[in-house]
Amino acid sequence: MLDKDTITTIADDLAAAEDSRSMIPLLTARYPEMTVEDSYAVQNVWRDRVIASGRRMVGRKIGLTSKVMQVATGITEPDYGIIFDDMVYESGSVIEHAQYTGVRIEVELAFVLKEDLKGPHINQFDVLRATDYVVPALEILSSRIEMEGRTIVDTIADNAAMGAMVVGGRPIRPDDVDLRWISACLYRNETIEESGVSAAVLGHPAMGVAWLANKLHPHGDHLAAGDIILAGSFTRPMWVYPGDSVYADFNDLGVISCNFR
């Protein structure tokens, strides 16, 4: 376990990296004794600072919930990060590429809650009862820590590589369709780069939300009514560059688009 001063130093380094649009060396190389709990402590320091600056927390993201993402990253357990109000874009947005680092796109579903979810024994049926609606989403990944050789410890401290999200398409009630079989094709510059089906997220995307509610419980935290929860990607991350157009086709649930300048 790291001491409080070291936790603060790491949070300072990550904040500086975000400001300068750069990456710092792997935390696991600098602090080999660093644990998952240390990483969440770093994330919490960053969260509290952001809230103190006047930004509003609107939800959480869950990462690494599908086998395809675990294979792509070499990390075999889920993690979570924080979503703030200025991280949420509407479909059709033009997004400044330079504000992020190592920019990639993932295809996800976002759950918007109408009731609180408090662990420790939340299951997928609890999640479905507590969900107001589900909406197609894209996650924009941004890395403040070197990407080669990252472990779960590095990723969590980096707010699970959360940069921003784009929402669009057709919101649905959780019992309108079988959420396991929502599929999407992800295009970059009119070429399909990735495709997937949402059952890849722990067998059912609601399972990701249940995992998160239970994971938060030992820390005295919970998911609140009104929260947006990104349930995890069911495609590999797709790299994007300045000038790229992105288009995700969710079939009956509509489309999401954005452009990077």
Side-chain angles (χ1 to χ4, degrees):
M1 295 288 288
L2 302 180
D3 60 46
K4 185 175 180 179
D5 288 344
T6 303
I7 295 292
T8 301
T9 296
I10 295 171
D12 290 340
D13 290 346
L14 286 166
E18 184 168 24
D19 290 342
S20 63
R21 308 296 183 255
S22 61
M23 296 185 189
I24 64 174
L26 292 173
L27 298 177
T28 42
R30 298 162 61 196
Y31 308 101
E33 73 279 22
M34 191 171 180
T35 67
V36 166
E37 292 304 310
D38 291 328
S39 294
Y40 281 120
V42 171
Q43 188 186 115
N44 289 342
V45 169
W46 173 81
R47 176 199 63 193
D48 293 345
R49 289 177 177 177
V50 172
I51 291 172
S53 74
R55 293 164 66 188
R56 182 171 59 90
M57 182 174 162
V58 296
R60 313 225 186 205
K61 67 150 286 186
I62 312 164
L64 307 172
T65 51
S66 66
K67 181 63 69 174
V68 67
M69 279 302 300
Q70 292 179 357
V71 170
T73 60
I75 299 171
T76 58
E77 61 180 292
D79 63 1
Y80 66 84
I82 311 298
I83 304 172
F84 285 94
D85 53 352
D86 57 356
M87 293 178 168
V88 183
Y89 292 95
E90 296 294 330
S91 182
S93 294
V94 177
I95 299 169
E96 199 69 44
H97 187 277
Q99 67 186 303
Y100 307 112
T101 309
V103 188
R104 292 142 291 151
I105 291 281
E106 296 177 345
V107 173
E108 311 203 11
L109 293 176
F111 287 66
V112 179
L113 301 182
K114 61 183 178 182
E115 301 172 7
D116 291 0
L117 278 172
K118 300 181 180 181
H121 303 300
I122 297 298
N123 59 40
Q124 73 177 70
F125 306 110
D126 298 320
V127 172
L128 296 174
R129 282 192 294 269
T131 298
D132 190 6
Y133 59 90
V134 179
V135 63
L138 298 175
E139 181 179 356
I140 301 171
L141 298 178
S142 180
S143 297
R144 277 71 55 170
I145 299 174
E146 290 177 352
M147 297 175 62
E148 187 68 30
R150 284 166 70 114
T151 70
I152 190 73
V153 169
D154 298 290
T155 301
I156 292 167
D158 194 19
N159 195 35
M162 179 67 187
M165 62 179 289
V166 186
V167 293
R170 180 168 69 91
I172 56 170
R173 300 297 179 186
D175 56 355
D176 283 352
V177 300
D178 186 344
L179 294 178
R180 298 174 304 156
W181 293 106
I182 294 174
S183 60
C185 294
L186 180 62
Y187 295 74
R188 181 180 59 208
N189 303 328
E190 302 182 7
T191 299
I192 293 179
E193 298 286 348
E194 298 290 341
S195 61
V197 62
S198 59
V201 178
L202 298 174
H204 191 295
M207 290 297 295
V209 183
W211 172 87
L212 177 57
N214 293 327
K215 185 74 173 178
L216 291 173
H217 175 74
H219 303 283
D221 204 352
H222 68 279
L223 302 177
D227 278 356
I228 304 168
I229 311 297
L230 276 176
S233 179
F234 50 92
T235 65
R236 294 180 301 177
M238 180 183 78
W239 286 89
V240 290
Y241 305 94
D244 281 349
S245 63
V246 174
Y247 179 90
D249 185 349
F250 284 78
N251 194 13
D252 292 341
L253 269 63
V255 300
I256 303 175
S257 67
C258 61
N259 290 277
F260 289 87
R261 64 182 178 192

